[in-house]
Every structure is written in structure tokens, then in C-alpha cells.
Amino acid sequence: IGRHKNFDDNFFEELEEILLTADVGMKITLELVGRLKERVRREKLSDPGLAYNILQEEVASILDKGTSRLREAAQPPTVILVVGVNGSGKTTTIGKLAYQYKLGGKKVILAAADTFRAAAGEQLGVWAQRAGAELIRHQEGADPAAVAFDAIQAARSRRADVVLIDTAGRLQSKVNLMEELKKIQRVIAREIQEAPHEVLLVLDATTGQNGLSQARIFREAVGVTGIVLTKLDGTAKGGVVLAIGAELGLPVKLVGLGEKITDLREFSPQDYAAALFS
Amino acid sequence: SLAERLQATFQKLRGRGKLSEADVTAALREIRLALLEADVNFKVVKDFVDKVKSRAIGQEVLQSLTPAQQVIKIVYEELTALMGGSQSKLIFASHPPTVILMVGLQGSGKTTTAAKLARFLTRQGHRPLLAAADIYRPAAIKQLQVLGGQLGVPVFSLGDEVKPPAIAGAAVEHARSQGRDVVIVDTAGRLHIDAEMMAELAEIKHAVSPHEILLVLDAMTGQDAVRVADEFHRQLNLTGVILTKLDGDARGGAALTVRAVTGCPIKFIGVGEKAGALEAFHPERLAARILG
Ligand SMILES: Nc1nc2c(ncn2[C@@H]2O[C@H](COP(=O)(O)OP(=O)(O)OP(=O)(O)O)[C@@H](O)[C@H]2O)c(=O)[nH]1
Ligand SMILES: Nc1nc2c(ncn2[C@@H]2O[C@H](COP(=O)(O)OP(=O)(O)OP(=O)(O)O)[C@@H](O)[C@H]2O)c(=O)[nH]1
Ligand SMILES: [Mg+2]
Ligand SMILES: [Mg+2]
């Protein structure tokens, strides 16, 4: 958009296209375009080359919620519940996160609370091995809440610093599956005051407007505290996180940038905003 | 709903008898919004809206319909026509085995859908063989073996140290020797911009000449569907699409995008996690869902 000569209709049409194509959605797109138009008018701007900086500022301010740091419990263990729809990258993200904690000298326990999907426990087992974390697993079909419970007991007795709880993917419209998730959260909360200390919603960057519904319903169900935006190494921009930030106040805390154990990074609103317009 | 919004739009207009340009332009604004909300690609929406506009202006409003309903009828028919109307049955080889190659982005549902297809084919009297050609994802082979085991469908694997093209080739040979008449090759999820991994798919294709190359696409995919579909189609020449996770509440606009961009038929839809959750694709149903 920097090549336009002035802030004419073509300029704003092209800006609209950039934002919509990034999955920002119509509501936030109109809002951002509106804000830019207001600044152009108020500050009598004439050079569209300036638009980039203004837009990046606006986007970063929507996404900046203070800190991307994951919460740490006053006393160990810190309990982190990982949730989200099918295939979004939960299990892989837990492997990456476990590795990060391990690098920081923490003792990590992984809970295989996806007791439903074929080879879910085996998959997490490989990540546990790669990350140097311990795995708590029951047989297939076991009660996921029981696995979470056992993992917390194990964390206490073995003095672990962090418990990462993997759950089965579930579509937010499935009431019975959301009830199962609420039960897991209740069991965790009953065992440790203030737990889970983080409830991370893992969201695939290729997701369209359904992402807002995912964030809304998962938050309502289990009190999501942050988003992990995965698969940002693709061409999708994950723009739905703007609506999630603006309407629900939920921060993106981490981004997944690939399938390797090191492909996890803390979220930076500024970097994200810059990438949105590149 | 779109119907309600259009109704409100038309309250303001005088148009009766024939649809005027003003009527149609106002209605199309709402339709464009609905399609974008449903994740249909920006450019696909533009082309589609232009098409509807030329069809709608000057059209007689049927006695039984309001102008709003008349426009919706046109949109619904255009959407249905766009998404349907082509070979949505599986292509079988004249000499077995038929080879079906499953491709797509990470996490879209390929492995689960491969098993669903195996179950579908078994019930149709075929003897499918599942081939575990994902050697990267932790426990991917195990996942397919567990699913195959639950269905009584054999799973061919050479472990995770043999390259996928060789695995696929050996699977087809194995099928011939064992009288299995369909080979379903499960592959690793990959990005359309990962040159190395896309080249691997081209190698698998070269090794086994699949009769079907099916893009497995998540129904909640947003605007990126256009790039994914375009790239996979350009490099592999897809024969069909399977849209998964339609048991959720995503509108599924990516389906229209993929159809518009590749011209490929949607052959099946995934409507759940169990092996039986595979259904035939009905364009009019998806049209209604996309319109919301
Ligand atoms: N390119 C890329 N792929 C990713 C990323 N994160 C996860 N994946 C891949 O996405 C696929 C699904 O990952 P999983 O960790 O199994 O996802 P999940 O949410 O646990 O899936 P379910 O448990 O079945 O709901 C795998 O192929 C991962 O390697 C990422 O940041 N980038
Ligand atoms: N609800 C629902 N879940 C589905 C459907 N199809 C697949 N899934 C789920 O989506 C998740 C990912 O499925 P997989 O079959 O592992 O996906 P994949 O494409 O093989 O993943 P990668 O091999 O990592 O690329 C699993 O939790 C599946 O159970 C569907 O139609 N509906
Ligand atoms: Mg998982
Ligand atoms: Mg798979």
C-alpha cells in the first residue's frame, strides 16, 4: 500500500483487501480503516507511505495486553491446561513448551489427558522423551480428569516445577465434550488453589472467523488465559487474533513457527503487526 | 441471518415487479458480508457477487417471493451450481489396485479420513490397504495402525526410516500380491510453501501414479485456503477435495474458494472423529450453510 500517491478510494480498498485476506474479519477491518481515515483527516496527512507505521501502531495496540509471560505459581507446581479444537497443535506445543522449561532448569511433568484419540499417548510420549520430561499416562478410554489428578499428585511428590496437561481436541460446539473439559478444570482447581495457572487455547493460524467462536466458548467454559497461535510459519496470518484481543481481551502469549521442538516463540505484538503488512 | 438482513435492506427500497439495479446492489452488499463472514476468499467473493449481479438485474420477482427472497434464491442457486455439478464419485482403476493419495496441511484430518475411506470402501465390497507414508510425525504410523486395527483393514508400513515414495511403491506391490484392490496412502501434513515436502509428494505421485489425489481441508480454514488449494493443485493436479470437521459450526466458505480456484469436486465431508463419520457431499446443503 506504500506505492499509492494519496489517500484515495483505491488506497483504502487495497488496505481493506490486505486486512480481510489476513483473516482480520470485517468488523476489525472497518475499525482499523476508520481509525486511519480519522488520523488522515485530523492530522491532514497526505503521504500514504506513513500509513504503514500508523496501522502497525494500531494493530500492536489492539494486541498488546501487557505481557506474554506465562504465569508462574507462587509455589510449584505451576499447572498449565492446554485446550483447543482438533488438530490445532496442542500436543506438539506441549512438547515445545516442556523443552523451553527444561532449558530453564525446570522439572516438567506431562499429563496425557487425551485418552480418546488413537496413539495420542504415544505421540506425547515421544515429545516427553525429546524434552526430557516425565509422562503420566493411563490406558485408552480412561477418565481424562483422573489423568490430570494423577499428574498433579506426581508433581507434588516428585517436586516438579511445571505440569503441562494435554487434552483431546474438541469442537467448541460439542456440549458434552466441553462439559468433559470443565470437569478436568474443576478437578485441577480442587487440587491446587489458583490452578490451572494458565489455560492456553491453541489456535491454528489458518483458522478463519470461527476462531472468535472458539475463543469465546472455550473461555466461557474453562477460563482461557492466553492463546498459542500455531503454524504461523505458513502463509496464513491468523488475523482473527485481533478480534479475539479487541472483543475478548485475550492475549496471544506464544507462537508456533514449525514442527521442531525449538519452533516456539514468545508473542510480540510489534513483530506480528509488522508481518501483517509485509 | 442473511434472509433477515436482506429483508431489512429491501424494506427501504421501492423495487417491485422486476429487480432494479438499486435493489440488487443493496442486496449484494449484504451477500458479500455474509460470504466474507463465512470465510469465502475475498477475490472469490468479488467474482461471485459480480456473477450474481448480472443474473439478478432485471429478473422478474416471482409472485410468491419478496425481492429479498428472489435475490437469495438466485444466490443459493448460483452457489449450489458452483459447488456441485461434477464427478464426485471416487475414480477407480480399470486394473486394480486403485491408488488414493491423501494430501494437505498439518492437522487437517488426513490420517483419520484415510481410515474413514477404508471403512467406506470395505462396506462397498472393496479390500483396501492403508499405507503409512508419514515417517515424520511422532506416532503417526502407530495412529494409522490403531485405526486400521479397529476396522480390520491391513496397514502397510516399512517403519520411519524408509522414504515415503519407496513406502508407497512397496505398498502398491504388496496390495497386488495380497489381492487388495485399493491402496490409501496417508502422508505427513505439510505446508504448500515447503518446497522439499511438496517435492516429496511429487515423487510419491511419480512412484505410484495415483488415480485420486485428495486434498484434505479443514472446514474452518480462512482466507489462506486460496493459496493452499492453488499451490497443491498446481504442483500435484488434485482430483478431489475432502472437507473435514463439518460437524462443528464453521460456515465452511473455504469449500467455495477451493472449488472456484481448482475446479476440483468435493467428494466427501468429514462429520466427526469416528471411522463412520464420512458422508457424501451435498452442494445445496453446504450452500445453505455458507449463506448462514
Ligand atoms: N508447520 C507447523 N506445524 C505445526 C505447528 N504446530 C503443530 N504442527 C503440526 O500440526 C499437526 C497437528 O499437531 P498436534 O500437536 O497433533 O495437534 P493437536 O491439537 O494435539 O491434535 P489433536 O490432539 O488431534 O486435536 C502435526 O503435524 C504437527 O506437527 C506449527 O507451529 N507449525
Ligand atoms: N470433529 C471432527 N474431528 C475430526 C474430523 N476429522 C479429523 N478430526 C480430528 O482432527 C484431528 C487431526 O486429525 P488427523 O487425522 O491426525 O489429522 P492429520 O491431517 O493426519 O494430521 P497430520 O498428520 O499431523 O498432518 C484429530 O483429533 C481427529 O480426530 C472430523 O470430521 N470431525
Ligand atoms: Mg493432541
Ligand atoms: Mg496424519
Side-chain angles (χ1 to χ4, degrees):
Chain A
I1 50 171
R3 59 177 173 71
H4 284 262
K5 294 247 173 297
N6 52 27
F7 287 103
D8 57 11
D9 282 348
N10 277 341
F11 171 84
F12 287 109
E13 263 179 44
E14 195 165 324
L15 173 56
E16 195 181 87
E17 180 171 351
I18 290 175
L19 292 171
L20 287 174
T21 313
D23 286 314
V24 169
M26 192 50 95
K27 187 159 181 282
I28 304 287
T29 294
L30 292 179
E31 214 165 290
L32 284 171
V33 170
R35 283 193 217 178
L36 179 61
K37 280 183 172 165
E38 177 58 18
R39 284 183 70 161
V40 168
R41 189 190 65 80
R42 217 179 48 222
E43 299 171 30
K44 307 220 190 328
L45 303 173
S46 58
D47 171 21
L50 294 174
Y52 266 123
N53 292 334
I54 296 173
L55 288 163
Q56 284 185 35
E57 273 175 40
E58 296 285 350
V59 170
S61 76
I62 290 177
L63 295 170
D64 201 334
K65 306 287 177 200
T67 177
S68 293
R69 228 0 82 76
L70 290 187
R71 194 170 151 216
E72 196 176 313
Q75 346 220 33
T78 293
V79 181
I80 300 181
L81 180 63
V82 179
V83 304
V85 302
N86 307 71
S88 62
K90 299 175 293 299
T91 306
T92 306
T93 297
I94 285 175
K96 296 172 180 177
L97 203 47
Y99 182 67
Q100 288 298 321
Y101 278 116
K102 205 77 171 91
L103 289 181
K106 304 288 185 195
K107 186 164 158 64
V108 185
I109 286 187
L110 304 186
D114 175 355
T115 57
F116 167 76
R117 211 208 65 215
E122 284 87 343
Q123 183 188 10
L124 190 62
V126 173
W127 285 110
Q129 197 181 28
R130 289 176 179 178
E134 225 182 297
L135 179 69
I136 297 295
R137 224 192 125 172
H138 289 193
Q139 79 280 16
E140 182 168 327
D143 179 4
V147 180
F149 179 86
D150 274 2
I152 291 174
Q153 304 317 322
R156 279 189 177 128
S157 65
R158 295 170 214 185
R159 301 181 190 286
D161 297 298
V162 189
V163 183
L164 301 175
I165 303 179
D166 191 15
T167 60
R170 68 204 68 221
L171 300 181
Q172 71 275 23
S173 50
K174 309 228 160 167
V175 179
N176 59 327
L177 296 183
M178 295 309 287
E179 284 306 310
E180 174 187 86
L181 197 58
K182 286 181 192 176
K183 178 175 172 211
I184 297 173
Q185 198 244 8
R186 275 198 304 276
V187 164
I188 295 169
R190 223 178 41 215
E191 278 314 295
I192 298 189
Q193 204 179 32
E194 305 267 301
H197 304 92
E198 285 280 358
V199 177
L200 299 177
L201 174 66
V202 178
L203 178 69
D204 187 327
T206 65
T207 308
Q209 296 310 298
N210 192 256
L212 185 55
S213 154
Q214 290 176 26
R216 216 177 257 138
I217 296 176
F218 272 92
R219 185 175 76 147
E220 183 275 334
V222 289
V224 170
T225 56
I227 308 256
V228 179
L229 188 60
T230 59
K231 310 178 199 175
L232 257 189
D233 46 316
T235 50
K237 307 263 176 164
V240 69
V241 297
L242 267 67
I244 293 174
E247 295 185 28
L248 305 175
L250 275 179
V252 178
K253 299 218 167 180
L254 299 163
V255 295
L257 292 164
E259 302 188 71
K260 302 196 303 296
I261 205 166
T262 47
D263 290 330
L264 188 70
R265 206 155 298 173
E266 211 170 85
F267 179 72
S268 150
Q270 290 70 29
D271 291 353
Y272 181 87
L276 199 59
F277 295 105
S278 63
Chain B
S1 74
L2 176 64
E4 291 164 348
R5 300 217 294 250
L6 280 187
Q7 206 74 322
T9 306
F10 275 108
Q11 299 286 28
K12 311 194 187 91
L13 300 172
R14 292 291 125 193
R16 195 110 322 225
K18 277 189 194 293
L19 290 175
S20 73
E21 177 150 6
D23 293 335
V24 174
T25 304
L28 288 179
R29 206 167 299 134
E30 291 298 330
I31 299 207
R32 179 174 174 264
L33 274 177
L35 293 177
L36 286 171
E37 239 172 43
D39 293 326
V40 180
N41 176 261
F42 184 88
K43 288 222 165 58
V44 172
V45 170
K46 188 166 190 315
D47 295 342
F48 180 79
V49 163
D50 287 345
K51 196 171 194 195
V52 168
K53 184 171 188 180
S54 54
R55 238 201 83 182
I57 295 180
Q59 246 214 31
E60 286 291 340
V61 180
L62 297 181
Q63 278 288 7
S64 53
L65 302 178
T66 64
Q69 288 169 332
Q70 184 65 34
V71 175
I72 290 190
K73 181 167 180 300
I74 294 170
V75 174
Y76 176 74
E77 284 170 0
E78 282 296 326
L79 263 183
T80 302
L82 239 174
M83 290 206 291
S86 69
Q87 176 57 290
S88 60
K89 295 227 178 299
L90 284 175
I91 299 166
F92 286 95
S94 39
H95 300 292
T98 295
V99 180
I100 300 175
L101 183 62
M102 315 290 289
V103 305
L105 295 179
Q106 291 89 345
S108 63
K110 298 173 293 300
T111 305
T112 308
T113 305
K116 290 178 182 179
L117 271 179
R119 180 182 183 277
F120 170 79
L121 290 166
T122 302
R123 289 165 79 87
Q124 300 239 311
H126 292 281
R127 292 172 310 286
L129 173 73
L130 287 162
D134 176 355
I135 60 170
Y136 310 101
R137 169 175 155 151
I141 296 173
K142 188 84 208 306
Q143 183 186 6
L144 195 63
Q145 286 171 332
V146 170
L147 293 175
Q150 291 169 351
L151 297 171
V153 173
V155 177
F156 180 87
S157 168
L158 288 180
D160 64 5
E161 306 206 335
V162 178
K163 292 285 169 239
I167 295 172
V172 173
E173 282 316 307
H174 181 79
R176 281 205 185 96
S177 71
Q178 300 290 316
R180 312 303 299 183
D181 68 333
V182 186
V183 180
I184 304 166
V185 183
D186 183 26
T187 64
R190 70 205 61 218
L191 295 177
H192 48 298
I193 53 171
D194 185 335
E196 211 170 307
M197 288 300 273
M198 291 305 285
E200 176 184 277
L201 284 183
E203 275 182 69
I204 296 176
K205 178 178 179 180
H206 184 74
V208 295
S209 304
H211 305 86
E212 287 276 6
I213 302 183
L214 302 176
L215 176 68
V216 178
L217 184 75
D218 196 322
M220 64 186 88
T221 308
Q223 297 287 313
D224 203 45
V226 70
R227 272 165 291 202
V228 175
D230 188 55
E231 206 53 39
F232 271 91
H233 190 50
R234 221 175 41 77
Q235 297 199 32
L236 299 170
N237 221 342
L238 303 169
T239 59
V241 177
I242 299 186
L243 201 62
T244 61
K245 307 177 202 172
L246 270 171
D247 46 319
D249 58 12
R251 297 265 288 278
L256 179 60
T257 301
V258 173
R259 180 85 177 122
V261 159
T262 67
C264 286
I266 297 171
K267 302 224 169 186
F268 295 96
I269 59 173
V271 292
E273 297 193 68
K274 300 215 174 80
L278 188 72
E279 288 179 4
F281 172 65
H282 293 282
E284 67 287 347
R285 286 188 207 167
L286 193 51
R289 178 180 179 133
I290 288 177
L291 283 178

